[in-house]
Each structure stands twice: as structure tokens, then as C-alpha cells.
Amino acid sequence: MNNPTPAPASGPDGQLAEIWGDVVSRPQLGKAILIGAVVSLAVYAVALATIAPLASTPAIGKALAMLAGIIGCILGGAICARLFQPKRRVVEQIAPGAIWQTEVLDQIAIEGGAIGSVEDLPPAVAQEMREVGLYSVFQDYEQDRARNREAG
Amino acid sequence: MDPLLYDILVALGLGLLGAVLFSAIGLISGTDETTTIAPVTLLVVLLGAPPAGVFTFWMCAAISKHMTHAVPTALLGIPGDTMALPLLQQASALRNLGAPHIALRKMLAGSVISAFIAVPLAVLFAVILAPFGTYITASAPWLFIAASVLIAYFSAGRWASVIALVPFTLLIVALQSFTGAHEVKLGVSYFLGIAIGPLVAELISAASPLERKRMNRSEPRETTLAPDVKGWGGYFPNPFRVLDRSQVRATATAAAITSGTFVFSPVAMTVIAGEIVGARIKHAYHRLTSVLAVRNGVTESTYIAEALIPLIAFGLPLSPVAAGPAAPLFNAPPRFTVNSETGVVNNLHTLMSVSEFLIWGLVSVVIATLIAYPFAMNHARSAAAFVAKRISHEAIIATFVGLILVIGLWEGGVIALLVILTVGLVGGLLYRVLGMNTGVQFMGYYAAVLSVPAILKLLG
């Protein structure tokens, strides 16, 4: 009924892995590397054969071919971006409720920072907080804490 | 066309290109500065851009990237690059409070103010240090050893990085004599190998059954995209209004001080500046926003100063930034060189005057501010959504693999590719396992080129 071992994730994209800071699909990454290599090298080779002989010196010709090869890299990347979708689940954030915000403030307090009092703030900062809609959040939090202290 | 006018137009054009290109790259989280800015700048150098154009390109690229890197950091909660790491905690707290747009604006305003302060101050510090320049270039081989040990010690690996410097330098020396035996002289390939090392190591690790467990995931990455609220009219919000008076003061002071501390790690300076400012502010909201403004400001000032001071005063890459992301401004053989025996340099240091550095530096700040700042202020949310939903990580890796192949083949054929692979794998693993970052490895490269011949000569 309750399976403790996580199921091997072979969904539509195959095995996922975190590589160089983000999640990719292993089979798709293999194909993407192949596409990137083939496209960039093909463009470089074609430029080396066609554009390079037209330049005034061989060094400039080779550099121009390299520039073409770099454009080839970006082209290869663009093809891969069309073929392979990002493995990210983007959630559009819902308006945060007061309870959640309180948890954030608790977290700040735990991490060693004082919350402080809105009374002590310079007027400009208090005004900014009102515009953002956080003034009352901080004020309520303060009053809650004060009440809890009296009660406890 | 008048050659002077031509140079000016190219410099402005390349600055614009750098700003547009790296405003876009800044949006993509995890794109490390060295890996992206160094190879592209190298390309600009090798294609023969005039000195002022090379300089504006690099400056605009670095300044713009450190503005737009705030977008993924604030809205997606993923650091935009290495320098965005110290911003993450405060940015996440504001994001969870439902005010990510405030985090973004404070960071952007801080970076604009800081960049404008850093350029003239860095030039001033460079001019003060310049009289010692001839003395310093003469003792360059020994200074590089001292600087590499210092930079290694202040990296995450501490003594491990210092010790690892020895075999790493030896590896470079060995590879140089190997390629020399086949009459191939490489420079760019070493830089690219070091810069791209973390990617090479990750790709090869992914193929190992031992590493599979660490790397495999069963779920796609989940990110919440925060809403944005536009709180101003017009297109260009005044940074002095976005920050309150005490934040402007703190940002400006931090920028001024960190414009002088050019030998230290920029990440460390960013962390410290934030800690010092944060400790003085009692209220949590004000503390979060102030720390963000100051820290993102410092990401600009350290980068600008660490590139400008060694470039203007010595022409030798004697800072973590100069040895890393700004390396092609100093050394891009065959065009820019640092001679191993005499310490004679031929790079932007010799090709541009102090006043040119100052003027083009300020022009770069203006260009980057006109492109990246209003773009990030106005289109942050749609840009972050586009990158998160449309640009797959597979596509980014494919682009970099193509880049390695093309530049390697261009510089030295298959032998150069083997060197990139070797340096990349070793360097990337040293980074991940020991915390010996790419800056330290660049210093190892310079030690191999500059210090090793001097040591061998001394030993007879």
C-alpha cells in the first residue's frame, strides 16, 4: 500500500538529474549535447571553407570562422530550447495570507535578527512599508508578541 | 572615416552589445560570471576590437549582469550567479513576505549608485598605486606566488586550496611542454578549461554510476514566480527615490570602501559589507531592504575596482576578478600578452591612458544603466517567466558544449580540446571537492607561466 522507496522517475522525459545547478532529463541532455556539437562544428567548418579564404590574412579568416561557429553554438542552443522543454514547475504565487507572513517573521527572529518596532522607524521607511502593505503585518506581529508575553 | 571617430563608435557599439547580451544572460540563473564573461570578452579581443571597445564591452557586460542577476534572485528565489549568492537570504525573506518587487528595486538602485561611485574611485586608487608599478612588474613572478597563496587561502578551500595549487600548477606546466612537443602553443584553451571546469566535471560525474545517486532527481524543479507590482510612472525610476536617505548613504559608503579592497574575494566583501550595515539597523524590514541595496551595490563596486586597479596601475592580473572574469583584458595571446621572463606587459594597460580608462569607464556605467536598469525594473516578471518556462537547461549546456568545441578547435585543433578536457575535469573536481575556485586556478595558471620559469632559473 505504502511504498517507502521512491519510484524511479522514468516519466515522459526519462530519468531526471540535477547537473550544473538545474534539473535536466538525462536522455534529452545527451541529444542536446549532440545537437549543440554537430550544429556549431558544422557552421564552423562551413565558414572555414567559405568565409575564411575571403579575409585579408589567414588569422582574420580563422577568427571570422570562429565567430560564425559561436553563432552556430547559439543556433544549436536555440534548436535545443525548441525541442526540449525546461524541467521546472513554475507556480504562479497566490496572494500570501497573514499566517504565512507571520511564519516568515518568526524565521527572521530565529535567524538572529531582531524584528524591531515600527514606532522607531524613520517616517520615510514607515511610509514605504504602508505602500507595500507590510506596515500592518509588522505592527500586528509586534502586538501579538507583546500580548503573548503579558499572557505568558 | 576618421580613425578616432571610428574607435569611439566601435567602443560605444561594443558597450551596447555587452550591455544587451549580458542583461539577457543575467536573467538565466546559475550562469557564473567567469564562465560567461571571460570567453565572450576573449572573442571580442581576438577579433581585433580597438582597446576602448574591449574595455567598454567588459565593463558593460559585468555591470549589466550584476543588475539583471537580481531578477531570478528576487522573483524565482534562485541565485542569478556567484555574486548573487549573498543576496539570496534577504531576497527570499522579502519574497516570502510578498514583496519581491521591493527586493528587486532595492538591489537595482543600489547597483546603479555604487557603479557610478566605484569607477572614479578605482581610477584614483590606481593612480595612487601606479608609482609602485615598475617595482611591482619587476618582481611579478614572486608577487604571483604570494597572490596565488593569498587568494587560495581566502577561497572556500583554505589550506586545501593552497596545497592543491602545487599539483595544479605542475599540471599546467606539464601540459604546456606536452603541447610544445607537438608545436602547439595554447593560452585561451587553458582559460576556457578553467572557466568551464565546473560544467565539464558535472557532465563527466553524471556518467559515473557512483555519482548517479547524488545527481538523480525524481521531480522537476519547482519554483514559484512572484507577482510584480509597478509602483512608479514612466520608464526610469530614480534610484535616489527607490532607496531612502540612510540606504543611499550606506550604499555609497560601502561602494567607496570596497573600491579600494581590490585583493580580496568579491563574494567575501559582499557578505561582510552586508553584515556591517545590517548590524546597525534595528527594524527587520528596513534591515532586509538596506542589506540588499548595499550588497548588490558591492557586487558592482568590487568587480569594477578589482578589474580597474590592477589594469591601470600594473597591467598584471593581481586580483581575483582580474585573474578570473577580467582575465582576457590582461592576457589574450597572441594579442594581449604578459611576458614570462621580463614581466613586460602588452595589454589594455599599455594601450590606454588613465583618462581614457576614466572616461570610458563612466561611459560604460551610463550605457549599462540605460539598458539593464530600466529593463530589469519594468520587465522583470515577464523576463523571468520567459527564461523559466522557455529556456531549458539542456539548451544552455548544449550551447556551452558547442562553445568549447569551436574555441578549442580554433586555437589548437584536437590537442587543444584534450587540454580543455583535462584542465576542465581536474579544475572542476578541485572546485567541487576542495572548494578551490576558478579564481585560484587562474592564479595557478599564471604561476605556471610567470613564477615557475623564475623559480627554475633561481635553482639553476
Side-chain angles (χ1 to χ4, degrees), chain B residues 159-183:
Chain B
W159 285 112
S161 302
V162 177
I163 297 165
L165 257 176
V166 178
F168 188 79
T169 307
L170 210 60
L171 173 75
I172 306 268
V173 174
L175 283 173
Q176 277 178 328
S177 69
F178 165 69
T179 63
H182 294 86
E183 285 174 13

PDB file of all heavy atoms in Angstrom, chain B residues 159-183:
ATOM      1  N   TRP B 159      43.411  26.035   3.356  1.00  0.00           N
ATOM      2  CA  TRP B 159      44.728  25.417   3.164  1.00  0.00           C
ATOM      3  C   TRP B 159      44.694  24.341   2.089  1.00  0.00           C
ATOM      4  O   TRP B 159      45.702  24.121   1.405  1.00  0.00           O
ATOM      5  CB  TRP B 159      45.258  24.841   4.481  1.00  0.00           C
ATOM      6  CG  TRP B 159      45.728  25.934   5.391  1.00  0.00           C
ATOM      7  CD1 TRP B 159      45.142  26.313   6.570  1.00  0.00           C
ATOM      8  CD2 TRP B 159      46.833  26.817   5.193  1.00  0.00           C
ATOM      9  NE1 TRP B 159      45.817  27.382   7.108  1.00  0.00           N
ATOM     10  CE2 TRP B 159      46.870  27.712   6.292  1.00  0.00           C
ATOM     11  CE3 TRP B 159      47.806  26.940   4.199  1.00  0.00           C
ATOM     12  CZ2 TRP B 159      47.823  28.707   6.412  1.00  0.00           C
ATOM     13  CZ3 TRP B 159      48.763  27.941   4.317  1.00  0.00           C
ATOM     14  CH2 TRP B 159      48.760  28.807   5.421  1.00  0.00           C
ATOM     15  N   ALA B 160      43.564  23.666   1.944  1.00  0.00           N
ATOM     16  CA  ALA B 160      43.460  22.643   0.896  1.00  0.00           C
ATOM     17  C   ALA B 160      43.715  23.271  -0.472  1.00  0.00           C
ATOM     18  O   ALA B 160      44.419  22.701  -1.313  1.00  0.00           O
ATOM     19  CB  ALA B 160      42.083  21.986   0.938  1.00  0.00           C
ATOM     20  N   SER B 161      43.158  24.462  -0.698  1.00  0.00           N
ATOM     21  CA  SER B 161      43.375  25.148  -1.974  1.00  0.00           C
ATOM     22  C   SER B 161      44.838  25.529  -2.148  1.00  0.00           C
ATOM     23  O   SER B 161      45.394  25.440  -3.249  1.00  0.00           O
ATOM     24  CB  SER B 161      42.517  26.409  -2.060  1.00  0.00           C
ATOM     25  OG  SER B 161      41.172  26.093  -1.925  1.00  0.00           O
ATOM     26  N   VAL B 162      45.456  25.962  -1.042  1.00  0.00           N
ATOM     27  CA  VAL B 162      46.871  26.356  -1.112  1.00  0.00           C
ATOM     28  C   VAL B 162      47.720  25.154  -1.518  1.00  0.00           C
ATOM     29  O   VAL B 162      48.576  25.238  -2.411  1.00  0.00           O
ATOM     30  CB  VAL B 162      47.355  26.923   0.245  1.00  0.00           C
ATOM     31  CG1 VAL B 162      48.836  27.258   0.178  1.00  0.00           C
ATOM     32  CG2 VAL B 162      46.542  28.148   0.632  1.00  0.00           C
ATOM     33  N   ILE B 163      47.461  24.008  -0.875  1.00  0.00           N
ATOM     34  CA  ILE B 163      48.246  22.804  -1.187  1.00  0.00           C
ATOM     35  C   ILE B 163      47.968  22.344  -2.622  1.00  0.00           C
ATOM     36  O   ILE B 163      48.884  22.008  -3.369  1.00  0.00           O
ATOM     37  CB  ILE B 163      47.920  21.675  -0.175  1.00  0.00           C
ATOM     38  CG1 ILE B 163      48.347  22.127   1.233  1.00  0.00           C
ATOM     39  CG2 ILE B 163      48.610  20.381  -0.557  1.00  0.00           C
ATOM     40  CD1 ILE B 163      47.766  21.291   2.346  1.00  0.00           C
ATOM     41  N   ALA B 164      46.692  22.362  -3.002  1.00  0.00           N
ATOM     42  CA  ALA B 164      46.316  21.884  -4.340  1.00  0.00           C
ATOM     43  C   ALA B 164      46.906  22.755  -5.447  1.00  0.00           C
ATOM     44  O   ALA B 164      46.998  22.320  -6.594  1.00  0.00           O
ATOM     45  CB  ALA B 164      44.801  21.819  -4.462  1.00  0.00           C
ATOM     46  N   LEU B 165      47.290  23.984  -5.099  1.00  0.00           N
ATOM     47  CA  LEU B 165      47.910  24.862  -6.096  1.00  0.00           C
ATOM     48  C   LEU B 165      49.151  24.224  -6.713  1.00  0.00           C
ATOM     49  O   LEU B 165      49.415  24.382  -7.904  1.00  0.00           O
ATOM     50  CB  LEU B 165      48.328  26.187  -5.442  1.00  0.00           C
ATOM     51  CG  LEU B 165      47.467  27.413  -5.662  1.00  0.00           C
ATOM     52  CD1 LEU B 165      48.023  28.564  -4.856  1.00  0.00           C
ATOM     53  CD2 LEU B 165      47.366  27.790  -7.121  1.00  0.00           C
ATOM     54  N   VAL B 166      49.918  23.497  -5.900  1.00  0.00           N
ATOM     55  CA  VAL B 166      51.183  22.939  -6.382  1.00  0.00           C
ATOM     56  C   VAL B 166      50.938  21.918  -7.498  1.00  0.00           C
ATOM     57  O   VAL B 166      51.432  22.097  -8.615  1.00  0.00           O
ATOM     58  CB  VAL B 166      52.004  22.337  -5.219  1.00  0.00           C
ATOM     59  CG1 VAL B 166      53.286  21.710  -5.748  1.00  0.00           C
ATOM     60  CG2 VAL B 166      52.307  23.421  -4.188  1.00  0.00           C
ATOM     61  N   PRO B 167      50.163  20.841  -7.255  1.00  0.00           N
ATOM     62  CA  PRO B 167      49.928  19.907  -8.364  1.00  0.00           C
ATOM     63  C   PRO B 167      49.192  20.546  -9.542  1.00  0.00           C
ATOM     64  O   PRO B 167      49.453  20.187 -10.690  1.00  0.00           O
ATOM     65  CB  PRO B 167      49.077  18.800  -7.728  1.00  0.00           C
ATOM     66  CG  PRO B 167      48.619  19.320  -6.433  1.00  0.00           C
ATOM     67  CD  PRO B 167      49.574  20.365  -6.005  1.00  0.00           C
ATOM     68  N   PHE B 168      48.307  21.487  -9.256  1.00  0.00           N
ATOM     69  CA  PHE B 168      47.570  22.109 -10.354  1.00  0.00           C
ATOM     70  C   PHE B 168      48.518  22.894 -11.276  1.00  0.00           C
ATOM     71  O   PHE B 168      48.444  22.801 -12.497  1.00  0.00           O
ATOM     72  CB  PHE B 168      46.465  23.018  -9.810  1.00  0.00           C
ATOM     73  CG  PHE B 168      45.559  23.541 -10.889  1.00  0.00           C
ATOM     74  CD1 PHE B 168      44.559  22.734 -11.420  1.00  0.00           C
ATOM     75  CD2 PHE B 168      45.716  24.822 -11.397  1.00  0.00           C
ATOM     76  CE1 PHE B 168      43.738  23.192 -12.433  1.00  0.00           C
ATOM     77  CE2 PHE B 168      44.893  25.289 -12.410  1.00  0.00           C
ATOM     78  CZ  PHE B 168      43.903  24.473 -12.928  1.00  0.00           C
ATOM     79  N   THR B 169      49.437  23.641 -10.649  1.00  0.00           N
ATOM     80  CA  THR B 169      50.414  24.399 -11.436  1.00  0.00           C
ATOM     81  C   THR B 169      51.294  23.456 -12.235  1.00  0.00           C
ATOM     82  O   THR B 169      51.588  23.690 -13.413  1.00  0.00           O
ATOM     83  CB  THR B 169      51.282  25.258 -10.489  1.00  0.00           C
ATOM     84  OG1 THR B 169      50.406  26.032  -9.674  1.00  0.00           O
ATOM     85  CG2 THR B 169      52.188  26.184 -11.263  1.00  0.00           C
ATOM     86  N   LEU B 170      51.667  22.362 -11.586  1.00  0.00           N
ATOM     87  CA  LEU B 170      52.511  21.370 -12.251  1.00  0.00           C
ATOM     88  C   LEU B 170      51.788  20.765 -13.455  1.00  0.00           C
ATOM     89  O   LEU B 170      52.392  20.519 -14.508  1.00  0.00           O
ATOM     90  CB  LEU B 170      52.870  20.272 -11.240  1.00  0.00           C
ATOM     91  CG  LEU B 170      54.219  19.592 -11.461  1.00  0.00           C
ATOM     92  CD1 LEU B 170      55.326  20.603 -11.395  1.00  0.00           C
ATOM     93  CD2 LEU B 170      54.426  18.501 -10.423  1.00  0.00           C
ATOM     94  N   LEU B 171      50.510  20.540 -13.311  1.00  0.00           N
ATOM     95  CA  LEU B 171      49.705  20.003 -14.413  1.00  0.00           C
ATOM     96  C   LEU B 171      49.763  20.938 -15.620  1.00  0.00           C
ATOM     97  O   LEU B 171      49.951  20.491 -16.753  1.00  0.00           O
ATOM     98  CB  LEU B 171      48.248  19.822 -13.952  1.00  0.00           C
ATOM     99  CG  LEU B 171      47.251  19.432 -15.048  1.00  0.00           C
ATOM    100  CD1 LEU B 171      47.410  17.976 -15.431  1.00  0.00           C
ATOM    101  CD2 LEU B 171      45.818  19.699 -14.610  1.00  0.00           C
ATOM    102  N   ILE B 172      49.636  22.250 -15.344  1.00  0.00           N
ATOM    103  CA  ILE B 172      49.670  23.226 -16.443  1.00  0.00           C
ATOM    104  C   ILE B 172      51.043  23.202 -17.113  1.00  0.00           C
ATOM    105  O   ILE B 172      51.154  23.173 -18.341  1.00  0.00           O
ATOM    106  CB  ILE B 172      49.374  24.656 -15.918  1.00  0.00           C
ATOM    107  CG1 ILE B 172      48.070  24.686 -15.132  1.00  0.00           C
ATOM    108  CG2 ILE B 172      49.410  25.676 -17.047  1.00  0.00           C
ATOM    109  CD1 ILE B 172      46.845  25.023 -15.884  1.00  0.00           C
ATOM    110  N   VAL B 173      52.113  23.192 -16.278  1.00  0.00           N
ATOM    111  CA  VAL B 173      53.470  23.160 -16.825  1.00  0.00           C
ATOM    112  C   VAL B 173      53.654  21.920 -17.702  1.00  0.00           C
ATOM    113  O   VAL B 173      54.184  21.993 -18.820  1.00  0.00           O
ATOM    114  CB  VAL B 173      54.513  23.174 -15.685  1.00  0.00           C
ATOM    115  CG1 VAL B 173      55.916  22.991 -16.232  1.00  0.00           C
ATOM    116  CG2 VAL B 173      54.415  24.474 -14.901  1.00  0.00           C
ATOM    117  N   ALA B 174      53.167  20.771 -17.198  1.00  0.00           N
ATOM    118  CA  ALA B 174      53.319  19.516 -17.945  1.00  0.00           C
ATOM    119  C   ALA B 174      52.555  19.581 -19.269  1.00  0.00           C
ATOM    120  O   ALA B 174      53.068  19.188 -20.318  1.00  0.00           O
ATOM    121  CB  ALA B 174      52.809  18.357 -17.095  1.00  0.00           C
ATOM    122  N   LEU B 175      51.338  20.097 -19.213  1.00  0.00           N
ATOM    123  CA  LEU B 175      50.550  20.192 -20.437  1.00  0.00           C
ATOM    124  C   LEU B 175      51.221  21.122 -21.448  1.00  0.00           C
ATOM    125  O   LEU B 175      51.207  20.853 -22.649  1.00  0.00           O
ATOM    126  CB  LEU B 175      49.136  20.694 -20.123  1.00  0.00           C
ATOM    127  CG  LEU B 175      48.175  19.672 -19.508  1.00  0.00           C
ATOM    128  CD1 LEU B 175      46.881  20.344 -19.098  1.00  0.00           C
ATOM    129  CD2 LEU B 175      47.888  18.551 -20.509  1.00  0.00           C
ATOM    130  N   GLN B 176      51.821  22.205 -20.922  1.00  0.00           N
ATOM    131  CA  GLN B 176      52.486  23.139 -21.834  1.00  0.00           C
ATOM    132  C   GLN B 176      53.648  22.478 -22.552  1.00  0.00           C
ATOM    133  O   GLN B 176      53.832  22.688 -23.751  1.00  0.00           O
ATOM    134  CB  GLN B 176      52.985  24.359 -21.070  1.00  0.00           C
ATOM    135  CG  GLN B 176      51.890  25.394 -20.867  1.00  0.00           C
ATOM    136  CD  GLN B 176      52.388  26.564 -20.074  1.00  0.00           C
ATOM    137  OE1 GLN B 176      53.254  26.433 -19.216  1.00  0.00           O
ATOM    138  NE2 GLN B 176      51.826  27.727 -20.341  1.00  0.00           N
ATOM    139  N   SER B 177      54.422  21.668 -21.832  1.00  0.00           N
ATOM    140  CA  SER B 177      55.557  21.043 -22.516  1.00  0.00           C
ATOM    141  C   SER B 177      55.059  19.941 -23.447  1.00  0.00           C
ATOM    142  O   SER B 177      55.640  19.707 -24.503  1.00  0.00           O
ATOM    143  CB  SER B 177      56.588  20.525 -21.515  1.00  0.00           C
ATOM    144  OG  SER B 177      56.076  19.431 -20.823  1.00  0.00           O
ATOM    145  N   PHE B 178      53.932  19.296 -23.096  1.00  0.00           N
ATOM    146  CA  PHE B 178      53.347  18.287 -23.986  1.00  0.00           C
ATOM    147  C   PHE B 178      52.891  18.925 -25.307  1.00  0.00           C
ATOM    148  O   PHE B 178      53.243  18.461 -26.387  1.00  0.00           O
ATOM    149  CB  PHE B 178      52.169  17.600 -23.295  1.00  0.00           C
ATOM    150  CG  PHE B 178      51.285  16.812 -24.235  1.00  0.00           C
ATOM    151  CD1 PHE B 178      51.753  15.653 -24.844  1.00  0.00           C
ATOM    152  CD2 PHE B 178      49.995  17.241 -24.516  1.00  0.00           C
ATOM    153  CE1 PHE B 178      50.937  14.936 -25.720  1.00  0.00           C
ATOM    154  CE2 PHE B 178      49.180  16.534 -25.385  1.00  0.00           C
ATOM    155  CZ  PHE B 178      49.663  15.380 -25.991  1.00  0.00           C
ATOM    156  N   THR B 179      52.128  20.025 -25.194  1.00  0.00           N
ATOM    157  CA  THR B 179      51.657  20.659 -26.439  1.00  0.00           C
ATOM    158  C   THR B 179      52.840  21.276 -27.186  1.00  0.00           C
ATOM    159  O   THR B 179      52.858  21.284 -28.408  1.00  0.00           O
ATOM    160  CB  THR B 179      50.605  21.754 -26.166  1.00  0.00           C
ATOM    161  OG1 THR B 179      51.209  22.792 -25.411  1.00  0.00           O
ATOM    162  CG2 THR B 179      49.406  21.212 -25.428  1.00  0.00           C
ATOM    163  N   GLY B 180      53.843  21.754 -26.425  1.00  0.00           N
ATOM    164  CA  GLY B 180      55.025  22.333 -27.050  1.00  0.00           C
ATOM    165  C   GLY B 180      55.751  21.293 -27.909  1.00  0.00           C
ATOM    166  O   GLY B 180      56.261  21.604 -28.989  1.00  0.00           O
ATOM    167  N   ALA B 181      55.761  20.037 -27.444  1.00  0.00           N
ATOM    168  CA  ALA B 181      56.406  18.966 -28.194  1.00  0.00           C
ATOM    169  C   ALA B 181      55.719  18.745 -29.542  1.00  0.00           C
ATOM    170  O   ALA B 181      56.327  18.241 -30.481  1.00  0.00           O
ATOM    171  CB  ALA B 181      56.402  17.675 -27.371  1.00  0.00           C
ATOM    172  N   HIS B 182      54.445  19.100 -29.609  1.00  0.00           N
ATOM    173  CA  HIS B 182      53.720  18.992 -30.885  1.00  0.00           C
ATOM    174  C   HIS B 182      53.600  20.346 -31.579  1.00  0.00           C
ATOM    175  O   HIS B 182      52.738  20.531 -32.438  1.00  0.00           O
ATOM    176  CB  HIS B 182      52.337  18.381 -30.653  1.00  0.00           C
ATOM    177  CG  HIS B 182      52.404  16.964 -30.192  1.00  0.00           C
ATOM    178  ND1 HIS B 182      52.548  16.609 -28.871  1.00  0.00           N
ATOM    179  CD2 HIS B 182      52.381  15.803 -30.880  1.00  0.00           C
ATOM    180  CE1 HIS B 182      52.594  15.304 -28.763  1.00  0.00           C
ATOM    181  NE2 HIS B 182      52.497  14.781 -29.969  1.00  0.00           N
ATOM    182  N   GLU B 183      54.419  21.295 -31.115  1.00  0.00           N
ATOM    183  CA  GLU B 183      54.452  22.643 -31.682  1.00  0.00           C
ATOM    184  C   GLU B 183      53.091  23.334 -31.664  1.00  0.00           C
ATOM    185  O   GLU B 183      52.691  23.980 -32.627  1.00  0.00           O
ATOM    186  CB  GLU B 183      55.062  22.618 -33.086  1.00  0.00           C
ATOM    187  CG  GLU B 183      56.563  22.435 -32.945  1.00  0.00           C
ATOM    188  CD  GLU B 183      57.284  22.253 -34.257  1.00  0.00           C
ATOM    189  OE1 GLU B 183      56.661  22.503 -35.286  1.00  0.00           O
ATOM    190  OE2 GLU B 183      58.455  21.870 -34.198  1.00  0.00           O
TER     191      GLU B 183
END
